[in-house]
Amino acid sequence: MLKVRGVETGYGRLKILRGVDLDVPEGSAVALLGGNGTGKSTLLKAISGLLRVWSGEIEFDGKPIHNRKPNEIVKAGLVQVTQGKDSYPGLTVEENLKLGAHSRNDRDKIKADLEQIYEFFPILRERRKQMAGLLSGGQIQMLVIGRGMMAAPKMIMLDEPSAALAPLVVLDIFRQINKIRAELGTTILVVEQNVRMALLLAEYGYVIHDGRIHIEGKASDMIHDENVRNAYLGGTVVETANA
């Protein structure tokens, strides 16, 4: 569904990505792993249209999307779910969720999708009239995932969904992500430092380091690979979240 080939980009004259190749097959869950400053978020920005691709190609659902406008990429069915800090604290939970459907006009389906989000995240139903700024960190992360799903995407890209969250909260969020995938068939690319949680969710994983993919393989093999942990992730195979 998503194909990244030889992508190079960066900021100003600083090159961050140096020929990245990555595949996310339809219906799969893929993990992109790496520490801070390795190029994970830069790659997501390039895929989402937030950062211009200098060279290489990005294809989604059989069509090139590199250097297209972000709203066009969302309409094509590819949505990036940012970290919880990107919620709108002055709006209610339900208003935040409905923002995710701003480009849609199928009102009945939007209403049904909203109810489905509440089924995945019951706490959001309880707090639907509450201002988002009063939610806990875990609840805000649920909110931004729900908002992304309100766009009715074919694929979602999750940017550090475990960031700064307590272990039990992370476990609950990843359970719901897996449930979304199982029930809706949504393709998932999860970008994480929490190696164990990401590889338990995914079938396939990539490790990015210095703007290049250094290791890739089946998630079930990578989760037990000491080289992945020690050489590329600083030993950070953990149950807890990393800020």
Side-chain angles (χ1 to χ4, degrees):
M1 176 166 275
L2 177 70
K3 295 182 180 180
V4 177
R5 293 291 181 271
V7 166
E8 297 190 350
T9 189
Y11 307 94
R13 296 182 179 180
L14 179 63
K15 183 184 288 188
I16 302 296
L17 300 183
R18 303 172 182 274
V20 171
D21 293 340
L22 179 144
D23 288 281
V24 184
E26 184 174 358
S28 71
V30 171
L32 176 63
L33 310 170
N36 289 326
T38 56
K40 303 188 309 297
S41 294
T42 299
L43 179 57
L44 284 194
K45 289 179 181 178
I47 295 170
S48 298
L50 299 173
L51 188 63
R52 186 165 185 82
V53 173
W54 296 352
S55 64
E57 298 179 348
I58 302 173
E59 184 180 289
F60 176 70
D61 208 16
K63 297 178 182 179
I65 61 167
H66 51 282
N67 297 332
R68 289 180 61 184
K69 295 179 180 179
N71 64 305
E72 295 175 346
I73 293 172
V74 171
K75 286 182 179 179
L78 178 57
V79 170
Q80 179 178 349
V81 175
T82 55
Q83 295 179 19
K85 62 185 179 183
D86 290 324
S87 65
Y88 296 93
L91 299 178
T92 68
V93 166
E94 192 155 297
E95 287 170 340
N96 266 272
L97 290 172
K98 287 180 176 178
L99 278 177
H102 73 278
S103 63
R104 300 171 57 187
N105 53 22
D106 49 341
R107 292 185 179 181
D108 290 342
K109 186 62 166 62
I110 289 172
K111 185 177 180 180
D113 287 349
L114 182 61
E115 285 301 310
Q116 192 167 51
I117 295 304
Y118 286 147
E119 289 179 11
F120 286 127
F121 302 111
I123 190 64
L124 298 183
R125 186 193 299 276
E126 294 177 23
R127 305 289 177 87
R128 64 186 183 278
K129 301 302 181 184
Q130 182 176 315
M131 292 297 176
L134 299 176
L135 299 179
S136 69
Q139 291 164 1
I140 291 174
Q141 187 61 54
M142 295 174 192
L143 177 60
V144 295
I145 293 172
R147 188 178 66 197
M149 292 304 300
M150 285 298 294
K154 300 174 184 176
M155 175 177 166
I156 56 172
M157 300 186 296
L158 300 165
D159 187 7
E160 304 276 6
S162 75
L165 300 180
L168 289 178
V169 176
V170 172
L171 185 60
D172 186 40
I173 287 174
F174 270 82
R175 280 199 193 106
Q176 296 311 312
I177 293 170
N178 192 51
K179 187 176 179 181
I180 287 170
R181 179 194 168 204
E183 294 188 9
L184 303 182
T186 307
T187 304
I188 294 173
L189 173 62
V190 58
V191 174
E192 263 292 351
Q193 291 188 66
N194 190 325
V195 179
R196 179 170 292 278
M197 292 306 303
L199 291 178
L200 287 172
L201 174 73
E203 290 97 26
Y204 202 83
Y206 293 85
V207 177
I208 189 169
H209 183 70
D210 291 337
R212 297 182 175 90
I213 300 297
H214 280 244
I215 295 178
E216 63 176 281
K218 292 181 179 179
S220 56
D221 295 334
M222 292 178 70
I223 200 168
H224 301 296
D225 191 335
E226 290 293 323
N227 291 325
V228 172
R229 180 171 61 190
N230 295 324
Y232 295 95
L233 298 164
T236 316
V237 176
V238 294
E239 298 286 355
T240 57
N242 296 287

